[in-house]
C-alpha cells in the first residue's frame, strides 16, 4: 500500500520536478510551437557534420546488465523463460530502485553539457527501460516508458525515443503523457523530413554516421511516425498538423496523387483546422500538377476548377491575396478542357466518324469561345459539314451475305407463369 501510495506520489512528483529542471537545459516543446527546438536540432547536427570531436571520458565506468544491454534485444536473444529463471523476472522493489537511480541520472544530465550530458542521458534511458521491464502493467512502467523516451530524445537518439513513445501508447493508450508524446513524435517526424530535404538519401542507403536519423529510409520513417500520430490520436491537438505535414512531404517528393488525398482528408476531417486554406490551396496545385494531358483522365481538372470556386467562396480574403494565381490557374484549366474536347474531335474525324467529331467541335465552340480552340473547331466544322457522317463500309455486299448474330435465349424463362415454372421443374 505504501508503494502504491507514497512511493507512486513521490515518483510522479519527482518526474514533474525533473521535467522543470530539464527545461533549463532542454527546450520543452509546446504542441503548436516547435520551431525553436527544430532549429536547435538542425544546429546540433551541423556541428557534428563539421567534425567536432567530443572529449573521451578518462575512466571507463563500471557497467551492469541494465547499463550495457538493450532490454528488448537481450530478452529476445535468451528468451523470457530464461530471463525469469536467471532472476530478472517481475520485481516491484527492484523496479522502483532502478527507476529512482535512473531518475537521479536524468536530473544530473540536465545540469551537464557536451558528451557527459549525452552519456548520462543514455545511462538513464537504459535504466528506465529496465525499470519498465521489471514491473510490467503498472503505473511505474508507464512512467518509465515515458522517461526512457525523454532521455533518448535529449540524447539526440530520436529513433530509440520514438520506440519508447510507441511502447507507452501501445500499453497505455489513455496515458497522461499522450499530449507531450504527440508533440515529441511530431517534432521527430518534422525534423527527419527537414534533414532529408536538405540532404536527401536513397531509402536503401544505411545510415551509420548520424545518430539522430534512423538506420534506413529517413523520410519513410518520418511519414510512418506522422501517420501513426494521426491514427492513434485522431482527435488530438496535433492530428491535423500531422496530416498537413504528411501531405506536404508527399507533395515535395512529387507524389501529387497521395498529397491530394491527404489534403482532402484534412479538409473533410478537420473543418476547423488552421490549415484549411493552405490545404485547399496546396491541393489545387497538386491537382494541376497531376494532370498529364489530353490523352489521360480529366478528373484532376474538374477537381481543380471546383477548388478554385471553393477557395473564392470560403476564403475571400486569402483568395484576394492569391487572385493572380487563381485567375491564371482558372484560365489554364479552361484551356486544357478545350484542348481535350478538340483532340477528341480530331480523333473521330480521322476515323471518319464526322457526326461524332462535330459534337465535340460544337461543344468547344459553345463552351470555350474564349480559347484559341474555338476558332480551330469552327474551321473543322466547315471542313466536314458535307462529308458522310460515318465511314463508308467497303465490301458491303460481302458483309451482307452473313446473317447478323442473334441474341441467345436465356436458359431460364423468368417471365413464364408460376405454373409453367413448376412444370419445368
Amino acid at each position: 500500500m505504501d508503494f502504491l501510495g507514497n512511493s507512486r506520489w513521490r515518483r510522479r512528483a519527482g518526474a514533474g520536478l525533473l521535467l522543470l529542471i530539464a527545461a533549463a537545459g532542454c527546450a520543452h516543446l509546446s504542441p503548436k510551437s516547435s520551431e525553436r527546438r527544430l532549429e536547435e536540432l538542425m544546429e546540433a547536427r551541423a556541428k557534428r557534420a563539421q567534425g567536432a570531436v567530443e572529449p573521451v571520458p578518462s575512466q571507463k565506468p563500471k557497467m551492469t546488465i541494465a547499463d550495457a544491454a538493450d532490454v528488448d534485444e537481450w530478452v529476445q536473444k535468451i528468451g523470457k523463460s530464461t530471463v525469469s529463471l536467471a532472476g530478472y523476472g517481475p520485481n516491484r522493489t527492484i523496479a522502483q530502485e532502478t527507476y529512482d537511480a535512473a531518475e537521479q541520472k536524468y536530473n544530473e544530465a540536465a545540469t551537464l553539457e557536451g558528451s557527459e550530458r549525452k552519456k548520462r542521458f543514455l545511462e538513464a534511458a537504459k535504466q528506465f527501460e529496465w525499470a519498465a521491464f521489471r514491473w510490467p502493467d503498472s503505473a511505474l512502467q508507464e512512467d518509465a516508458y515515458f522517461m526512457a523516451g525523454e532521455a533518448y530524445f535529449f540524447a539526440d537518439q530520436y529513433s530509440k525515443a520514438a520506440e519508447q513513445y510507441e511502447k507507452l501508447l501501445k500499453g497505455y493508450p489513455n496515458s497522461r503523457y499522450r499530449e507531450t508524446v504527440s508533440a515529441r513524435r511530431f517534432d521527430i517526424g518534422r525534423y527527419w523530413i527537414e534533414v532529408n530535404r536538405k540532404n536527401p538519401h536513397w531509402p536503401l542507403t544505411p545510415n551509420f554516421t548520424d545518430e539522430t536519423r534512423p538506420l534506413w529510409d529517413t523520410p519513410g520513417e518520418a511519414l510512418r511516425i506522422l501517420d501513426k500520430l494521426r491514427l492513434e490520436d485522431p482527435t488530438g491537438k496535433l492530428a491535423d498538423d500531422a496530416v498537413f505535414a504528411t501531405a506536404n512531404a508527399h507533395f515535395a517528393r512529387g507524389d501529387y496523387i497521395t498529397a491530394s488525398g491527404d489534403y482532402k482528408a484534412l479538409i473533410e476531417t478537420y473543418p476547423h483546422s488552421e490549415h484549411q486554406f493552405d490545404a485547399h490551396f496546396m491541393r489545387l496545385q497538386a491537382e494541376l500538377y497531376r494532370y498529364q494531358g489530353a490523352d489521360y483522365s480529366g478528373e484532376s481538372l474538374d477537381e481543380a476548377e471546383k477548388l478554385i470556386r471553393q477557395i473564392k467562396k470560403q476564403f475571400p480574403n486569402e483568395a484576394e491575396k492569391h487572385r493572380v494565381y487563381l485567375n491564371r490557374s482558372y484560365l489554364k484549366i479552361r484551356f486544357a478542357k478545350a484542348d481535350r474536347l478538340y483532340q477528341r474531335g480530331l480523333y473521330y474525324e480521322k476515323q471518319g466518324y464526322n457526326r461524332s467529331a462535330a459534337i465535340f467541335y460544337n461543344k468547344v465552340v459553345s463552351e470555350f469561345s474564349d480559347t484559341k480552340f474555338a476558332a480551330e473547331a469552327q474551321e473543322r466544322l466547315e471542313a466536314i459539314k458535307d462529308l458522310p457522317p460515318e465511314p463508308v463500309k467497303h465490301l458491303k455486299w460481302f458483309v451482307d451475305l452473313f446473317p447478323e448474330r442473334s441474341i441467345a435465349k436465356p436458359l431460364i424463362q423468368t417471365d413464364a407463369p408460376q405454373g409453367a415454372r413448376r412444370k419445368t421443374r
Side-chain angles (χ1 to χ4, degrees):
M1 189 58 144
D2 178 69
F3 176 79
L4 295 176
N6 297 336
S7 297
R8 181 175 177 181
W9 171 260
R10 184 177 66 255
R11 183 174 68 257
R12 292 192 172 179
L17 178 60
L18 62 91
L19 286 176
L20 290 176
I21 295 175
C26 306
H28 187 72
L29 303 173
S30 61
K32 291 293 182 180
S33 60
S34 58
E35 298 299 329
R36 181 180 177 185
R37 178 58 184 170
L38 184 60
E39 292 176 1
E40 291 178 357
L41 298 180
M42 298 300 294
E43 290 175 1
R45 183 180 182 279
K47 290 180 180 179
R48 283 192 295 274
Q50 293 174 359
V53 180
E54 297 188 349
V56 179
S58 58
Q59 183 179 1
K60 185 177 180 180
K62 295 181 179 180
M63 304 297 288
T64 64
I65 294 178
D67 292 326
D70 181 86
V71 178
D72 292 335
E73 183 180 355
W74 185 68
V75 173
Q76 186 177 5
K77 284 183 178 180
I78 67 175
K80 290 185 178 180
S81 59
T82 307
V83 170
S84 299
L85 291 174
Y88 293 100
N91 188 304
R92 183 172 62 183
T93 303
I94 295 179
Q96 182 64 55
E97 293 174 353
T98 306
Y99 185 95
D100 292 340
E103 189 176 67
Q104 182 178 357
K105 288 185 178 180
Y106 187 98
N107 291 335
E108 292 175 0
T111 63
L112 300 175
E113 298 292 340
S115 61
E116 282 298 318
R117 171 191 177 89
K118 180 176 181 178
K119 170 189 168 185
R120 200 63 56 88
F121 270 131
L122 291 177
E123 291 175 354
K126 292 177 181 179
Q127 286 191 317
F128 279 128
E129 284 191 78
W130 271 95
F133 174 74
R134 295 307 296 269
W135 195 237
D137 301 323
S138 65
L140 184 145
Q141 186 182 57
E142 178 186 356
D143 294 339
Y145 277 151
F146 173 71
M147 294 306 301
E150 292 291 274
Y152 279 127
F153 183 86
F154 291 121
D156 296 333
Q157 295 197 3
Y158 304 129
S159 291
K160 291 187 176 181
E163 290 176 5
Q164 297 303 313
Y165 294 143
E166 288 184 15
K167 286 182 182 179
L168 171 64
L169 296 182
K170 183 178 179 180
Y172 306 91
N174 298 319
S175 173
R176 61 195 179 94
Y177 300 113
R178 173 176 285 279
E179 186 173 331
T180 303
V181 168
S182 295
R184 295 285 191 247
R185 297 169 83 188
F186 179 73
D187 289 317
I188 290 172
R190 283 190 62 222
Y191 173 74
W192 284 344
I193 290 174
E194 185 66 16
V195 166
N196 189 74
R197 185 185 67 81
K198 292 186 176 181
N199 187 19
H201 292 81
W202 187 253
L204 297 180
T205 303
N207 164 45
F208 297 116
T209 59
D210 187 356
E211 292 183 344
T212 67
R213 295 193 294 113
L215 178 62
W216 305 95
D217 192 11
T218 299
E221 284 297 304
L223 294 175
R224 187 187 68 82
I225 284 184
L226 294 174
D227 280 335
K228 289 181 73 68
L229 175 59
R230 67 171 176 174
L231 292 175
E232 294 175 358
D233 192 14
T235 60
K237 294 182 179 180
L238 286 170
D240 60 322
D241 300 86
V243 178
F244 189 61
T246 301
N248 289 341
H250 286 302
F251 186 95
R253 297 171 72 177
D255 187 357
Y256 302 119
I257 296 177
T258 305
S260 178
D262 288 336
Y263 290 130
K264 183 179 180 181
L266 191 153
I267 292 170
E268 296 177 351
T269 309
Y270 304 98
H272 302 293
S273 170
E274 62 184 357
H275 303 297
Q276 274 290 320
F277 169 74
D278 291 329
H280 279 81
F281 192 74
M282 292 299 295
R283 188 179 178 223
L284 167 62
Q285 297 181 59
E287 292 293 339
L288 291 175
Y289 278 128
R290 79 183 185 96
Y291 177 65
Q292 300 181 34
D295 295 332
Y296 298 87
S297 172
E299 179 184 357
S300 59
L301 295 177
D302 296 332
E303 288 294 328
E305 187 174 6
K306 187 189 304 181
L307 282 165
I308 291 177
R309 291 196 298 267
Q310 289 178 351
I311 290 173
K312 290 185 176 181
K313 181 179 179 180
Q314 193 171 343
F315 310 98
N317 295 332
E318 291 84 353
E320 181 60 27
K321 295 178 183 178
H322 299 275
R323 177 171 54 85
V324 175
Y325 176 82
L326 293 176
N327 290 341
R328 187 183 296 120
S329 298
Y330 180 74
L331 293 177
K332 287 181 179 179
I333 293 170
R334 287 188 58 79
F335 184 90
K337 284 189 170 185
D339 182 31
R340 289 177 60 79
L341 292 174
Y342 182 72
Q343 294 300 328
R344 294 187 70 178
L346 288 178
Y347 170 79
Y348 282 112
E349 182 183 348
K350 289 179 181 179
Q351 301 297 322
Y353 292 95
N354 296 302
R355 180 187 295 147
S356 299
I359 293 175
F360 289 102
Y361 290 146
N362 281 317
K363 199 168 184 180
V364 173
V365 172
S366 61
E367 296 182 11
F368 299 95
S369 58
D370 56 335
T371 66
K372 71 171 187 176
F373 297 104
E376 296 179 9
Q378 189 63 53
E379 291 179 3
R380 300 314 311 156
L381 285 171
E382 291 294 329
I384 66 174
K385 66 179 181 179
D386 297 327
L387 296 179
E390 294 183 359
V392 178
K393 292 183 179 180
H394 299 285
L395 299 178
K396 185 176 182 303
W397 61 270
F398 182 76
V399 175
D400 292 340
L401 292 176
F402 297 91
E404 294 183 2
R405 183 178 179 181
S406 60
I407 301 175
K409 295 183 179 180
L411 296 176
I412 300 177
Q413 190 70 22
T414 57
D415 58 347
Q418 188 70 19
R421 288 202 296 271
R422 288 175 182 165
K423 289 180 181 179
T424 302
R425 290 200 299 269

